[in-house]
Amino acid sequence: MAGQLRYDDQVVVVTGAGGGLGKAYATFFGSRGAKVVVNDLGGSFKGEGTSSKAADVVVDEIKKAGGQAVANYDSVENGDKIIETAIKNYGRIDVLINNAGILRDVSFKNMSDQDWDLIMKVHVKGAYKCARAAWPYFRKQKYGRVINTASAAGLFGSFGQCNYSAAKLAQVGFTETLAKEGAKYNIICNVIAPIAASRMTETVMPPDLLANLKPEWVVPLVAVLVHKNNTDENGSIFEVGGGHVAKLRWERSTGLLLKADDSYTPGAILKKWNKVTDFSDPQYPSGPADFMSLLEDSMKMGPSDKGEPLDFKGRVALV
Ligand code: NAI
């Protein structure tokens, strides 16, 4: 069809593509001319067990619809094997969608090392291993597109999910650095915080809400970001789901700048706390360089009004 974004002759690797969002990506790219590596370990949403069925079903579906796909059943912790499947079968890799994920929700008080470690292994190490294995191919061919998957839980925190939140915000830092390192090789990396009905969310959201959160409605944004024509968005963070797409960025308050000498005391900060929290004239920093220019300004300032001792009244007295 005229006007469609196409991915002909491109090889797309989707991790965790046996269900939910991953399946939606895989079937989409399979229908738009790409050769798809459908990776899935096939375990439970808590990361227990393995099965080849999840990936096989999706491969069959893509092939029946006239597309090309191959299954891979490795854990993302062995990302090199997943990328090897792409190279062995199709000779290249163009797009990597780091999507595989599990949950081990438990309050921080009751969290075990195993709950923490497993989440880090699948989300953080998994995304790293897959990207690391794809990177030399991307650099050599001067082309690559990566999507990493964060979550609102990572951006804002979520009760009972401190392991998952930590792993998901890690995707943001990981993406922002890969975007900077990859730019000159035309390797573009972005990160999404999706929301979609899947086995992960079906027990925590009501059915009427889930009906409006089809995984297929996350796909169009990912399709745009990994397309060869996207050279503008790199290192960006998006939230997406149910027809909504928005970009997120860091916002810094007006801030308080004081002379960094012995007048720079807790009391000096408290006296002007309203400036620390004033977002009426925000800045949008995009790197450490912005901060360095602030430090240069601080060196030109006079001493602060220290003003201790402080009036705490059970909590810090904010002026
Ligand atoms: P899902 O449970 O339907 O899909 C995840 C897939 O990853 C499963 O098919 C699973 O077998 C596979 N997987 C798990 N561990 C694996 C491993 N070690 N190696 C290979 N495959 C593995 O869940 P859903 O909702 O589709 O999640 C996809 C991604 O989106 C995950 O990273 C999740 O954390 C993230 N996400 C989803 C949200 C939602 O609203 N559904 C919200 C925020 C983030």
Side-chain angles (χ1 to χ4, degrees):
M1 191 191 287
Q4 274 190 341
L5 293 187
R6 302 276 314 171
Y7 306 85
D8 298 295
D9 304 321
Q10 294 205 338
V11 179
V12 178
V13 171
V14 184
T15 70
L21 285 164
K23 179 179 177 183
Y25 302 137
T27 51
F28 172 84
F29 288 110
S31 75
R32 295 287 179 105
K35 297 164 185 156
V36 186
V37 175
V38 177
N39 156 262
D40 208 291
L41 185 63
S44 76
F45 80 93
K46 287 183 159 187
E48 292 148 345
T50 58
S51 160
S52 56
K53 193 174 165 205
D56 285 344
V57 168
V58 176
V59 167
D60 284 350
E61 202 175 300
I62 293 171
K63 285 184 173 168
K64 272 188 193 136
Q68 297 181 70
V70 61
N72 170 283
Y73 318 115
D74 286 296
S75 169
V76 282
E77 295 155 68
N78 303 314
D80 40 340
K81 292 192 179 152
I82 301 171
I83 305 305
E84 201 179 294
T85 300
I87 303 302
K88 272 195 178 152
N89 285 274
Y90 301 129
R92 60 185 287 127
I93 169 168
D94 299 283
V95 177
L96 168 64
I97 302 179
N98 275 323
N99 165 80
I102 55 166
L103 291 176
R104 303 283 288 198
D105 292 358
V106 59
S107 70
F108 186 50
K109 178 172 91 62
N110 295 324
M111 181 148 301
S112 67
D113 288 354
Q114 196 196 1
D115 292 326
W116 179 269
D117 290 344
L118 197 54
I119 288 290
M120 293 301 151
K121 262 193 209 168
V122 173
H123 292 274
V124 183
K125 190 165 184 196
Y128 156 70
K129 288 289 279 184
C130 292
R132 184 67 191 87
W135 208 251
Y137 296 100
F138 287 161
R139 276 177 56 120
K140 197 166 176 206
Q141 71 201 13
K142 291 205 165 39
Y143 186 87
R145 296 287 181 270
V146 180
I147 294 289
N148 291 316
T149 308
S151 162
L155 299 170
F156 310 115
S158 171
F159 201 97
Q161 294 194 303
C162 79
N163 49 357
Y164 183 75
S165 304
K168 284 311 199 184
L169 194 58
Q171 306 298 319
V172 174
F174 181 51
T175 303
E176 288 176 341
T177 295
L178 291 193
K180 288 180 164 71
E181 291 193 13
K184 79 171 181 186
Y185 299 97
N186 191 16
I187 308 170
I188 300 257
C189 307
N190 290 289
V191 58
I192 61 165
I195 179 152
S198 74
R199 66 181 190 170
M200 237 185 221
T201 46
E202 69 189 0
T203 54
V204 291
M205 288 184 193
D208 53 336
L209 182 60
L210 290 168
N212 286 303
L213 291 173
K214 291 196 171 128
E216 287 73 17
W217 296 341
V218 172
V219 175
L221 171 68
V222 169
V224 166
L225 294 174
V226 304
H227 194 266
K228 63 179 185 320
N229 290 352
N230 171 35
T231 50
D232 297 332
E233 293 297 345
N234 191 21
S236 305
I237 312 165
F238 296 92
E239 61 180 13
V240 53
H244 164 81
V245 182
K247 189 169 168 177
L248 288 93
R249 61 182 170 181
W250 295 105
E251 184 178 79
R252 184 197 280 140
S253 68
T254 307
L256 171 62
L257 191 62
L258 296 172
K259 174 93 177 159
D261 61 9
D262 61 4
S263 68
Y264 185 57
T265 63
I269 294 177
L270 280 176
K271 282 216 155 136
K272 297 192 171 165
W273 189 256
N274 54 346
K275 284 205 163 182
V276 174
T277 55
D278 178 5
F279 282 93
S280 61
D281 184 20
Q283 299 159 9
Y284 300 100
S286 58
D290 311 66
F291 186 69
M292 293 307 169
S293 69
L294 284 178
L295 292 185
E296 281 168 25
D297 292 345
S298 129
M299 286 156 70
K300 297 174 201 146
M301 303 186 77
S304 313
D305 177 4
K306 311 183 199 184
E308 292 187 66
L310 309 170
D311 174 16
F312 277 89
K313 288 185 185 158
R315 49 170 287 212
V316 174
L318 307 180
V319 184

